[in-house]
Amino acid sequence: EVHLAESGGGLVQPGGSLRLSCAASGFPFSRNAMSWVRQAPGKELEWVSFIGDGGINSDYADSVKGRFTISRDNTKNMLYLQMNSLKTEDTGTYFCTRGGKISYSAYVAQDLGQGTQVTVSS
């Protein structure tokens, strides 16, 4: 059974930083591309970033490019998202899921758990 547990969210002022973590189990993590997605209040799920199975390839939504960095540790089955220069519009619940920029949508029904809440506010 796929299990993804996000952590690291919190309340931060604009311009601040947070590092999100995702602990994965129940599937061959090192053979799967992974993505971070988020959902702001009242809005649809939004893809944020993807990283290839080997950790070499990555991509970001234009809204976070240059501010967020995705990484993974295949030895620990962990996915990370370093978020810098946070803006109020980054507020939302962040989830990790299998898949890339397009393919993640095929996994969200199975993968999305509790997520971790990020609130950017002064």
Side-chain angles (χ1 to χ4, degrees), residues 2-122:
V2 172
H3 185 63
L4 297 164
E6 303 90 350
S7 62
L11 173 63
V12 63
Q13 292 185 340
S17 298
L18 284 173
R19 188 192 194 211
L20 306 184
S21 299
C22 168
S25 62
F27 66 100
F29 180 76
S30 64
R31 298 205 297 269
N32 277 261
M34 296 294 296
S35 284
W36 284 97
V37 298
R38 67 186 180 187
Q39 188 163 30
K43 295 189 176 181
E44 293 186 350
L45 201 63
E46 175 191 18
W47 173 81
V48 174
S49 179
F50 129 88
I51 188 167
D53 56 358
I56 302 301
N57 298 319
S58 62
D59 196 9
Y60 301 89
D62 288 344
S63 58
V64 307
K65 200 168 290 184
R67 300 186 297 120
F68 290 12
T69 303
I70 192 171
S71 62
R72 66 191 295 164
D73 185 340
N74 285 347
T75 66
K76 297 180 180 179
N77 285 8
M78 293 292 296
L79 178 71
Y80 305 101
L81 186 69
Q82 178 66 43
M83 306 188 298
N84 299 328
S85 302
L86 282 160
K87 304 177 180 180
T88 55
E89 52 262 44
D90 294 318
T91 293
T93 304
Y94 285 69
F95 305 89
C96 56
T97 182
R98 290 173 290 172
K101 184 176 182 178
I102 303 299
S103 63
Y104 82 91
S105 60
Y107 296 100
V108 292
Q110 183 178 5
D111 288 1
L112 263 59
Q114 297 293 321
T116 186
Q117 177 67 35
V118 172
T119 303
V120 185
S121 175
S122 55

